[in-house]
Amino acid sequence: MSLIRSLGYLRVEATDVPAWREFGVTVLGMVEGRGPDASAVYLRMDELPARIVVVPGERDRLAASGWELASPSSFAQLASALEAAGVGFKAAGDDELAARRVDRMISVDDPAGNRLEFFCGAALDTRPALSRYGTSFVTGAQGMGHVVLPSFDDEAGLRFWTEVLGFRLRDSMRLIPETIGLPPNDKPLWMRFLGCGPRHHSVALAPIPAPSGLVHLMTETASIDDVGRAIDRCARHKAPMISTLGRHANDNMISFYVRTPSGFDIEYGTAGLTVDDDTWVARQTTAHSVWGHRFAAGGHG
């Protein structure tokens, strides 16, 4: 079982922070929080002071994904596992801890160069996170959702995330290169779906080029009405939806995709599958969706 409990937060560097404030609040239905950096935007989904932190940057990119551990002892065990595997990591200084509002944190790059931050002891915000649209997000033990990260060495990525970090392989998807915009090849590409808690997957590793360093973030809402209202808001605010509504074949999520001001996508969904590792059987599929999810040119899931 993984020492890591869930996806905790994303830190995003953006060239247009005000656009993110507008997008996060009026399109996604999140709540603007407050934090130590006056130039940043803090987007809340629940009792944490921020699930997405957007800071000014020279280019649009995912700066880091943050992963929550339950306790200092779990945190120490993870650090020992990284050391035993010969994986270098950096302990956060006081300034970084204050910026993230956590008790302790270390950062490491996975084999594909994706920056990961592992933390415990997150501060809570006692003010209710009340969306102006009544949107309710599914978080708790499932964390803030899932991320799809670019990864082009299947063996190295799978080994790091499962053997070192303790994630469980929940599913694999066999991809034909040209269907995701890559040159034709007689060898299939693999997308790996990995879980660390009850959510079907908290991270997927995909051989998909992503200039921002993130293919997509999935956020889950409590009802199909939350999703439908978000589709209406995309139309009203001219947010670029890049897919129709659809249901995924592996985690059953009913969702659509919308492009963020930083160029990566948000999958906005509901009714995702939760699993029990004692009974779950990992399978493989070539089907992306049961229905729907027709993507515009340049879009991908």
Side-chain angles (χ1 to χ4, degrees):
M1 183 175 178
S2 177
L3 297 167
I4 299 159
R5 298 296 294 270
S6 64
L7 177 64
Y9 60 76
L10 294 189
R11 290 184 66 84
V12 177
E13 290 183 2
T15 56
D16 191 343
V17 174
W20 258 103
R21 177 182 288 108
E22 178 75 9
F23 177 79
V25 174
T26 65
V27 175
L28 301 181
M30 295 182 181
V31 178
E32 186 173 1
R34 57 193 177 192
D37 184 351
S39 67
V41 167
Y42 298 89
L43 296 174
R44 298 183 62 199
M45 300 168 65
D46 54 13
E47 70 274 14
L48 265 71
R51 289 292 193 170
I52 302 176
V53 179
V54 184
V55 300
E58 294 182 357
R59 65 185 184 94
D60 291 287
R61 72 183 189 97
L62 174 65
S65 56
W67 299 86
E68 186 166 22
L69 290 92
S71 66
S73 62
S74 295
F75 184 87
Q77 290 178 62
L78 178 64
S80 296
L82 291 168
E83 286 181 343
V87 178
F89 59 84
K90 175 181 174 290
D94 291 341
D95 289 348
E96 286 180 303
L97 295 176
R100 276 106 176 132
R101 289 175 281 189
V102 299
D103 180 60
R104 57 194 72 188
M105 185 192 90
I106 56 176
S107 57
V108 63
D109 289 346
D110 80 350
N114 300 302
R115 174 55 55 95
L116 314 175
E117 297 180 349
F118 302 106
F119 69 93
C120 68
L124 298 181
D125 190 329
T126 56
R127 299 174 304 150
L130 300 176
S131 168
R132 67 172 66 172
Y133 305 109
T135 305
S136 179
F137 291 96
V138 176
T139 57
Q142 297 192 58
M144 73 173 289
H146 74 238
V147 285
V148 178
L149 301 175
S151 179
F152 293 89
D153 186 331
D154 182 56
E155 183 179 348
L158 199 55
R159 183 170 59 246
F160 176 79
W161 282 87
T162 60
E163 296 180 13
V164 179
L165 298 184
F167 280 64
R168 295 288 294 272
L169 177 65
R170 296 273 168 77
D171 273 317
S172 298
M173 187 179 293
R174 191 172 59 200
L175 303 172
I176 298 171
E178 48 265 47
T179 63
I180 57 172
L182 297 177
N185 195 307
D186 58 357
K187 293 183 179 179
L189 299 175
W190 290 99
M191 189 171 177
R192 307 295 188 179
F193 298 85
L194 307 166
C196 58
R199 191 181 290 283
H200 176 272
H201 60 281
S202 292
V203 63
L205 305 178
I208 298 173
S212 67
L214 178 62
V215 180
H216 76 246
L217 162 71
M218 187 285 298
T219 59
E220 184 176 358
T221 59
S223 75
I224 190 66
D225 289 335
D226 288 328
V227 175
R229 292 186 186 109
I231 290 174
D232 286 348
R233 294 195 300 272
C234 286
R236 194 159 61 243
H237 297 282
K238 297 181 172 55
M241 277 182 60
I242 63 156
S243 86
T244 60
L245 192 68
R247 184 192 281 274
H248 279 307
N250 59 355
D251 67 354
N252 294 344
M253 190 74 67
I254 300 173
S255 61
F256 70 94
Y257 290 73
V258 58
R259 188 137 291 167
T260 69
S262 288
F264 62 83
D265 299 330
I266 299 280
E267 180 187 0
Y268 200 97
T270 192
L273 184 67
T274 58
V275 304
D276 178 354
D277 277 320
D278 290 336
T279 57
W280 183 255
V281 178
R283 301 273 169 79
Q284 61 175 276
T285 179
T286 57
H288 180 268
S289 299
V290 178
W291 52 267
H293 285 144
R294 293 187 300 278
F295 284 86
H300 42 66

